[in-house]
Amino acid sequence: MLELAILGFLAEGPLAGHELRRRVSQLTGYTRPVSDGSLYPAINRLTRAGLMERRADPAAGAARYVLSLTAAGRADMLQRLRKPADHEITDFTRFYIVLAFLSHLSDAAERHAVLRRRLEFLEAPASFFYDNERPLRAEEVADPYRRGMLLTARATSRAERTWLRETLGEEPPAFDTGCADSDPRAPAVPAS
């Protein structure tokens, strides 16, 4: 997802390396801090692959450079947005990186296909806690902190599903079981 964030920001225009790092760090937030040890090797991989170019920026001083997207980089970014991997749909932070750049897809049908995948994921029953294979609802959990986790995740999931349906122009189901009563698929929750 780091590579998609790099390509996505560069699709908006050339950036100095330090500015790109700042934007990627702000996007991924505290849940996935971006270190120089991950950012610069990713920049080098993308440059070697011909997806971006690096040129010296003499105005900024020694060892400073400006990065820009190539035509191949734009095509790669668009393909990543059209067909995100399953873990990019199911992981909250990864999905938000996809969402941050989804408007680069000019075809509404392609954007909606990605959003429908996320909605389908959120509508499947899930929980942080199970009784054998059955997801537990918040009301079935005695521990107040675990219950708090489930209630917070429920509210977040409901809000996201509402936004997705509105964006897709879909009506909510008549009876929205929406797995929302146990759904922990909220921020920073990996797929189960």
Side-chain angles (χ1 to χ4, degrees), residues 97-113:
I97 291 172
V98 170
L99 197 58
F101 302 107
L102 200 58
S103 63
H104 287 292
L105 292 177
S106 59
D107 184 348
E110 290 177 334
R111 293 189 306 267
H112 285 190

